[in-house]
Amino acid sequence: MTTDTPRVLSCRGLRKRFDDVTAVDDVSFTIAAGETYGLLGPNGAGKTTIISMVAGILRSDAGQVLVEGVPVSTRTTEPKGRIGYVPQEPALYPDLTGRENLRFFARLQGLSRDATARRVAHVLDVVGLADRADDRVGHYSGGMRQRLHLGVGLLHEPALLVLDEPTAGVDPQSRNAIVDDIRDLARGGLAILYTTHYMEEAERLCDRVGVIDAGRLVAEGTRRELVALLAEKDRISLSVDGDLARAEEAAKRIPSVLGAAARGNDLDLLVHDARQCLPGVLSTLAEEDVHVRAVEVDEPDLETVFLHLTGRALRG
Amino acid sequence: MRAALLIAAKDLRQRLRDWSVLVFTLVLPLGLGLVFSLVLGGVTSGDDVFRYAVVNEDGGPVAAVFTDRVLPAAAEGGAITVRTAASRDEALRLVGSGEVTAFFVLPAGFSARVEAGQAAAVEVVGDVDAPLGTGVARSLAGSFTERLTSVRVAVAAALRSGSTRDPAALAAEAAAVPDRLRAVEEPASRRELDATTYYAAGMSVFFLFFTVQFGVTSLLDERRSGTLARLLASPVRPSSVLLGKLITSVVVGTAGTAVLVAATTVLMGARWGHPLGVAVLVLTGVLAATGTVAVVASLARTSEQAGAWQAVVAISLGALGGAFFPVAQVGGPLAAISLVSPHRWFLRGLADLAGGDVLAVLPAAGALTAFALVAFGVAALLGRREVRR
């Protein structure tokens, strides 16, 4: 993402209190077109409250939400048509069919009858439910409901897709399918705001991550930027055949390798960015006739980042 | 408005797939109306629920008034059937065998005592298992003897004041004096609904307060299922969501009541009155019911809580308003208090329609509209807060 990429969502100084509890405290962030931004935090951190204010269903006490430069609030209607909102629970009508659900929400978004028919057919294809479109949603599996639920948010071709923990309570297979769908949508230029407390998902999907704790945005950046906050190094463990001492010396000559130590048949390397320097390490060792049997990379993850920033585990 | 109609159309589609709506809209009101009508409605429905015998041991002219004029007139109205029994023993046998509900006895000397200005009584003997029929028989005998009492008092007063005229002639003259009180009562009696219509209407308006819940309370269901958040995240105003729910209630309530009106007319012989007047009352009644349940729903946190509260309100207002028994006929403070119930105004409107032209429903329709406006105002204030929370 470059600085020239247009901002689809701008949140500035968002605050929300419920009685004596500050749910969201001065949160600001932006999302560009084609960018997936993850709000990472434990349950109760304020993610859903932020999402609700972005979607225009909860009034903020202070601050502003702009979607494509247009302010969003509970009183506005026009900018809501630019947002595809996918709440946490499958918000569908179980006694209507999948097609009837989609048709209703499409019409509610202001689509004409023709456009509705076209978009409903397209979305059913995208979420893989075309063959079950005329079954009642009450007869769908959890994964199918979740996919249809996601599809509702895409009906009106929004500029911003807001997803509130879309994989919560979903089986691993459906979760993978949903994550793949979201990644495809981002590639298509959609700006995505995504909340999760699954660190792996955030790492897999999000271009940037905002770490939320007790209603505050305590850190923000790419995964690499966040990990850099820890000042921790990546570790590469190599199981090798050949002259281990020679391999160690060769590894130490690689500029990105900060340290190397032979241990039994293994060679442990300390590096800044394991993913970036691994190809160079492997080719250097090959040149030294050292055969690498297995590679293990140990890099600080967002879980570690969260622990470092908040003193608490992400999933407590 | 477009969004409200879309929401209403969606809700109606859901309701059509929900059998509980059918039960509350048609099955229960029809069933209970039929039961009430059968149990309590025989008096005026023309069937032979109350069958009587009469034993005339007197044979005089005053007894003949009762046997030849009073009882045949009541039988002609379809309220009762009457047969003659030769003796008390035969009449007792008829009661014992269940062939009659009760019997009247005009004892020997009855006419003479009346003509002489002395106390006289029509005896009523009833089946112990038919208190209602026996009570009706007592009422018939009582109203006759009350009339005789006034004649008897007139004769006695004339004799005491020194009149030398024949007591029988005096009695005939007193009986011929027009009864002013009855002249006043006649229009009122025409404004009463027959029992079948009364209970058909009572059950219809009673269950109306349940059927309209399906639209209004679905707002709470939508909140619980998360679809309300999705509706509010769409480019629609919160007021459109509320309006859509109200439209659903009004359509379900109006359609359900219209079907009940038709069904009770065909199946039970209910006589609702002029269709235009009935339509005005049904529509204003539906609006009042929708407004009332909307207020209750606005105060509740869940649809279950709303359902429980609405049941309490519906049953209380229904009982107070005369859906189960004609409270207005009790008179006194209860009849006055019953005017706070929309049910009471709905039934009163139908009674007015039965006794007058279409315009006669306007006072009741006006009261129901006032109920609706006040309730909608309160519900709108509470409901807007609810959808925006």
Side-chain angles (χ1 to χ4, degrees):
Chain A
M1 239 34 66
T2 69
T3 51
D4 295 334
T5 311
R7 298 275 177 250
V8 175
L9 173 67
S10 297
C11 295
R12 298 175 189 156
L14 287 180
R15 286 180 200 275
K16 183 68 186 178
R17 285 178 68 85
F18 296 108
D19 298 325
D20 294 334
V21 178
T22 301
V24 174
D25 188 8
D26 195 22
V27 168
S28 301
F29 62 94
T30 60
I31 306 178
E35 184 181 26
T36 300
Y37 186 99
L39 281 176
L40 185 66
N43 290 332
K47 303 188 300 293
T48 297
T49 306
I50 293 171
I51 287 261
S52 299
M53 289 189 284
V54 169
I57 58 175
L58 185 69
R59 201 180 309 174
S60 62
D61 295 335
Q64 193 176 33
V65 175
L66 299 171
V67 173
E68 295 186 317
V70 182
V72 177
S73 78
T74 54
R75 293 173 186 275
T76 55
T77 55
E78 189 272 328
K80 289 181 180 175
R82 304 167 190 240
I83 303 170
Y85 173 57
V86 181
Q88 195 165 340
E89 297 295 324
L92 300 162
Y93 300 104
D95 37 11
L96 300 184
T97 66
R99 191 188 306 279
E100 287 168 342
N101 268 279
L102 291 175
R103 200 181 285 154
F104 168 67
F105 285 113
R107 297 283 287 151
L108 211 58
Q109 287 290 346
L111 270 61
S112 67
R113 285 182 190 280
D114 288 347
T116 294
R118 205 167 46 246
R119 288 298 301 166
V120 166
H122 174 73
V123 166
L124 283 168
D125 277 341
V126 168
V127 298
L129 289 170
D131 57 335
R132 297 290 303 275
D134 296 315
D135 290 355
R136 289 195 191 182
V137 169
H139 299 152
Y140 282 11
S141 68
M144 290 165 70
R145 281 185 212 189
Q146 202 68 27
R147 274 147 56 201
L148 186 69
H149 180 53
L150 175 62
V152 173
L154 304 171
L155 279 166
H156 53 297
E157 300 181 90
L160 170 70
L161 184 62
V162 178
L163 299 159
D164 190 3
E165 305 208 18
T167 58
V170 174
D171 63 272
Q173 194 180 355
S174 297
R175 181 185 296 178
N176 282 333
I178 289 167
V179 168
D180 289 344
D181 286 345
I182 293 167
R183 200 155 42 190
D184 289 345
L185 291 167
R187 284 196 196 109
L190 194 59
I192 297 175
L193 172 60
Y194 188 95
T195 74
T196 184
H197 60 264
Y198 292 118
M199 176 267 299
E200 318 84 69
E201 269 181 31
E203 291 196 329
R204 214 173 130 191
L205 268 176
C206 301
D207 299 308
R208 286 190 303 136
V209 170
V211 178
I212 296 284
D213 183 45
R216 293 180 57 246
L217 190 66
V218 294
E220 184 191 42
T222 63
R223 178 197 160 280
R224 177 53 45 194
E225 288 166 347
L226 291 172
V227 167
L229 294 173
L230 302 182
E232 286 189 18
K233 311 293 183 290
D234 294 356
R235 289 176 200 282
I236 301 174
S237 294
L238 303 162
S239 296
V240 297
D241 293 330
D243 187 341
L244 203 60
R246 198 171 155 193
E248 183 182 349
E249 285 307 313
K252 281 179 179 173
R253 287 198 297 274
I254 301 170
S256 57
V257 174
L258 304 172
R263 183 166 46 84
N265 287 331
D266 290 348
L267 179 64
D268 290 344
L269 307 178
L270 197 62
V271 299
H272 269 308
D273 186 341
R275 295 174 196 226
Q276 196 176 24
C277 74
L278 187 58
V281 169
L282 294 176
S283 64
T284 301
L285 293 177
E287 285 168 11
E288 298 294 329
D289 287 333
V290 175
H291 177 62
V292 177
R293 283 186 287 108
V295 178
E296 191 177 316
V297 174
D298 182 17
E299 50 189 354
D301 58 18
L302 291 175
E303 182 86 48
T304 316
V305 171
F306 191 84
L307 185 66
H308 174 77
L309 291 171
T310 68
R312 294 189 287 119
L314 193 53
R315 275 171 280 179
Chain B
M1 191 64 184
R2 177 181 176 276
L5 291 174
L6 281 170
I7 291 167
K10 183 269 299 174
D11 280 356
L12 289 169
R13 189 189 293 267
Q14 287 180 280
R15 297 287 79 84
L16 285 173
R17 293 177 183 174
D18 182 359
W19 286 97
S20 63
V21 175
L22 198 63
V23 169
F24 273 98
T25 309
L26 293 177
V27 178
L28 281 177
L30 263 181
L32 277 179
L34 198 60
V35 168
F36 273 109
S37 173
L38 286 175
V39 172
L40 302 171
V43 176
T44 56
S45 63
D47 57 24
D48 59 355
V49 172
F50 299 142
R51 300 175 300 276
Y52 300 122
V54 59
V55 182
N56 189 351
E57 295 174 343
D58 177 54
V62 181
V65 171
F66 187 67
T67 57
D68 299 344
R69 290 171 59 185
V70 174
L71 291 180
E76 195 174 298
I80 61 172
T81 61
V82 183
R83 62 193 289 180
T84 302
S87 65
R88 286 171 187 260
D89 289 342
E90 185 191 347
L92 277 171
R93 188 188 55 75
L94 291 172
V95 169
S97 64
E99 291 178 64
V100 300
T101 309
F103 65 86
F104 305 95
V105 179
L106 297 151
F110 178 81
S111 297
R113 294 181 69 82
V114 172
E115 288 171 354
Q118 296 172 346
V122 178
E123 296 173 32
V124 175
V125 179
D127 184 348
V128 70
D129 293 327
L132 196 60
T134 306
V136 171
R138 280 204 194 96
S139 294
L140 277 169
S143 63
F144 176 65
T145 52
E146 273 175 26
R147 179 92 178 117
L148 290 180
T149 300
S150 62
V151 172
R152 187 166 56 79
V153 168
V155 171
L159 293 174
R160 275 198 190 158
S161 64
S163 173
T164 55
R165 292 178 57 193
D166 177 20
L170 281 171
E173 198 171 312
V177 174
D179 190 335
R180 292 189 182 280
L181 181 60
R182 180 168 298 174
V184 172
E185 279 180 340
E186 272 179 359
S189 68
R190 283 205 309 270
R191 286 169 50 189
E192 285 181 3
L193 295 170
D194 63 87
T196 300
T197 307
Y198 186 89
Y199 287 109
M203 287 302 102
S204 298
V205 70
F206 175 70
F207 281 99
L208 173 63
F209 277 70
F210 288 89
T211 53
V212 295
Q213 288 178 22
F214 288 104
V216 175
T217 347
S218 67
L219 190 67
L220 296 165
D221 290 326
E222 300 238 28
R223 172 181 291 286
R224 184 180 56 185
S225 66
T227 46
L228 179 62
R230 187 157 244 166
L231 294 180
L232 296 176
S234 305
V236 301
R237 296 183 185 285
S239 55
S240 297
V241 179
L242 289 177
L243 184 60
K245 299 297 174 188
L246 294 178
I247 290 172
T248 304
S249 282
V250 170
V251 171
V252 171
T254 306
T257 311
V259 172
L260 273 178
V261 169
T264 53
T265 301
V266 173
L267 300 176
M268 293 163 58
R271 290 170 296 195
W272 287 76
H274 194 287
L276 184 59
V278 175
V280 169
L281 283 173
V282 167
L283 193 60
T284 52
V286 166
L287 290 173
T290 304
T292 305
V293 299
V295 171
V296 178
S298 305
L299 293 168
R301 307 288 301 176
T302 64
S303 60
E304 289 78 13
Q305 192 179 51
W309 289 357
Q310 283 163 352
V312 170
V313 169
I315 292 169
S316 303
L317 288 177
L320 189 62
F324 305 112
F325 54 89
V327 172
Q329 291 180 16
V330 175
L334 188 60
I337 294 169
S338 72
L339 294 173
V340 302
S341 166
H343 302 65
R344 170 83 174 87
W345 286 101
F346 182 80
L347 293 167
R348 181 170 167 166
L350 283 176
D352 290 342
L353 183 63
D357 59 9
V358 174
L359 294 178
V361 303
L362 288 182
L368 290 168
T369 306
F371 268 108
L373 289 175
V374 171
F376 279 136
V378 175
L381 284 175
L382 297 171
R384 286 174 76 85
R385 196 181 61 186
E386 177 74 9
V387 294
R388 282 188 173 156
R389 195 162 54 198

